[in-house]
Amino acid sequence: MTKRNKIIIWLSSILAVFIIGLVSCIGVSNGQIRRQQEVQTAKANISKEEQRRVDLFRNMV
């Protein structure tokens, strides 16, 4: 192997590791955003259910 081939292999390896790390970070970020939206949806559903129960109670009284 020539010195040039070794340099190309090292640079390719470093670039591959960098790309894998970048894709992993993007995946983690998207996962956090998805979980945050799920929490907001759950809170909205709870709030909606509470309001429904209050309305039912008012109708009974």
Side-chain angles (χ1 to χ4, degrees):
M1 279 180 122
T2 64
K3 185 175 181 181
R4 183 176 178 185
N5 287 344
K6 288 181 182 179
I7 291 173
I8 290 173
I9 290 172
W10 275 101
L11 289 177
S12 298
S13 300
I14 292 170
L15 182 62
V17 168
F18 177 74
I19 290 173
I20 290 171
L22 183 64
V23 169
S24 296
C25 289
I26 291 170
V28 168
S29 176
N30 286 340
Q32 289 175 340
I33 291 170
R34 182 177 42 85
R35 287 184 199 100
Q36 185 179 15
Q37 289 175 344
E38 289 174 356
V39 167
Q40 289 174 348
T41 302
K43 286 181 180 179
N45 289 340
I46 291 170
S47 196
K48 180 180 165 184
E49 184 66 24
E50 287 176 344
Q51 186 60 44
R52 186 182 72 83
R53 289 181 183 192
V54 167
D55 290 343
L56 288 173
F57 183 73
R58 287 182 187 159
N59 289 338
M60 285 177 28
V61 173

